[in-house]
Amino acid sequence: IKIMGCNEDAVTVEIPSEIDGKTVTSIGDNAFSDCRGLTEITIPDSVTSIRTGAFSNCSGLTEITIPDSVMSIGNSAFSGCSSLTEITIPDNVTMIQAYVFSGCSSLSEIMIPDGVTSINEDAFSGCSSLTEIEIPDSVTSIGESAFSDCKKLTSITIPDSVTSIEKSAFSGCNNLTIYGYARSYAQKYAAENNIRFALIGGLPRGDVDGSGGIDSTDIFYTMLYIANVAVGNDGGLTDEQIAAADVDGNGTVDSTDSFYIMYYVALRGAGYDTSWEEVLAK
């Protein structure tokens, strides 16, 4: 049995696992689309697929539990669910389809399960409450505008497995730092698109000497590196130190980075509890 529709005035819905002795296995295209008064729904373990637009524009839906039995979630399945704050993607899902959570502006946290291989276009576009994302090692590609206009997104971890990221994937994410590994595709992408980059497990931003604080020694090491590189010498810093010195995350350590570190140290020395985000915004 496929669920094809419901009363648009429904507030709570419990989908049965059987109807007339036949198993309910899927929720059809646009089955609950525009049921704006729907606040709660129960999906049984018998369901294996949620089709295109199944819950699109259910703007009153605040949370939904998708059973582990679900193996596929269609395009735009939850797009426009602007009150949705929590959702768990089942482990059996291998692809995050286009526009699937687009416009879920209240969604503050999402865990992408191991086994997902691609995040398609606009999958999380307009999820303006998301603050951080960790991409699992199984993912190889991130599509166009996948996280566009996620305005609060400050941190995304991208593993070595990712070898394709569309240019617009993070458009409008103005406070984003990409965390990845040295010489990875993620680092190259960040440099090409002027997105701040930091090494996974590396030194904190600006702490070039690894002392646990940021001071005149870090300024000295940064300026010495810049001077050495300018005359064709080895800069004398490790990949980890270079990433820490590259405070603006543009892929190059230059005079702009040394200025930002000096400015940060000066503000802290004057007693201002400033953050890197505030410094870099100047």
Side-chain angles (χ1 to χ4, degrees):
I1 293 289
K2 178 193 296 184
I3 302 296
M4 297 296 292
C6 79
N7 183 338
E8 290 189 2
D9 296 326
V11 175
T12 62
V13 171
E14 182 173 353
I15 298 173
S17 59
E18 289 187 355
I19 296 176
D20 294 335
K22 297 178 181 179
T23 304
V24 174
T25 60
S26 67
I27 300 172
D29 293 352
N30 303 307
F32 295 89
S33 179
D34 295 318
C35 292
R36 300 180 190 277
L38 185 66
T39 61
E40 183 179 343
I41 188 160
T42 302
I43 301 174
D45 290 339
S46 59
V47 170
T48 59
S49 69
I50 297 173
R51 304 294 292 274
T52 297
F55 296 96
S56 62
N57 298 320
C58 289
S59 55
L61 195 63
T62 57
E63 62 179 81
I64 187 168
T65 299
I66 303 174
D68 291 338
S69 55
V70 170
M71 302 178 69
S72 64
I73 302 174
N75 296 350
S76 304
F78 296 95
S79 64
C81 291
S82 56
S83 298
L84 192 65
T85 60
E86 183 179 340
I87 193 164
T88 300
I89 302 172
D91 290 341
N92 288 323
V93 172
T94 59
M95 185 180 296
I96 307 296
Q97 299 282 14
Y99 295 91
V100 64
F101 299 109
S102 176
C104 292
S105 55
S106 297
L107 189 65
S108 58
E109 184 177 348
I110 191 78
M111 182 174 290
I112 300 171
D114 292 334
V116 168
T117 59
S118 63
I119 299 171
N120 289 351
E121 61 183 284
D122 284 278
F124 297 96
S125 62
C127 290
S128 53
S129 294
L130 284 177
T131 57
E132 58 183 68
I133 295 282
E134 185 166 346
I135 306 294
D137 290 339
S138 53
V139 172
T140 61
S141 64
I142 300 174
E144 291 182 11
S145 302
F147 295 94
S148 65
D149 295 319
C150 291
K151 299 183 185 302
K152 292 185 180 179
L153 189 64
T154 58
S155 167
I156 186 163
T157 301
I158 301 179
D160 281 344
S161 59
V162 174
T163 56
S164 174
I165 306 174
E166 292 295 331
K167 184 177 178 63
S168 62
F170 303 102
S171 62
C173 301
N174 298 326
N175 298 309
L176 180 64
T177 297
I178 291 176
Y179 289 82
Y181 294 98
R183 296 178 296 279
S184 64
Y185 183 85
Q187 184 177 27
K188 177 184 176 184
Y189 173 86
E192 290 176 348
N193 292 278
N194 296 316
I195 299 174
R196 289 188 288 274
F197 180 82
L199 288 179
I200 293 174
L203 295 169
R205 183 185 291 164
D207 185 15
V208 183
D209 65 353
S211 66
I214 302 170
D215 53 26
S216 58
T217 304
D218 300 298
I219 298 170
F220 168 76
Y221 277 127
T222 302
M223 296 181 72
L224 181 62
Y225 174 87
I226 294 168
N228 275 320
V229 171
V231 296
N233 294 332
D234 182 84
L237 297 180
T238 65
D239 286 343
E240 189 176 41
Q241 289 176 305
I242 292 170
D246 179 21
V247 293
D248 64 2
N250 69 353
T252 303
V253 178
D254 53 25
S255 58
T256 303
D257 297 297
S258 65
F259 165 76
Y260 279 134
I261 298 174
M262 285 190 282
Y263 187 40
Y264 181 92
V265 171
L267 288 173
R268 288 286 179 141
Y272 293 100
D273 187 21
T274 190
S275 68
W276 275 115
E277 283 68 30
E278 292 170 318
V279 169
L280 293 169
K282 298 295 184 183

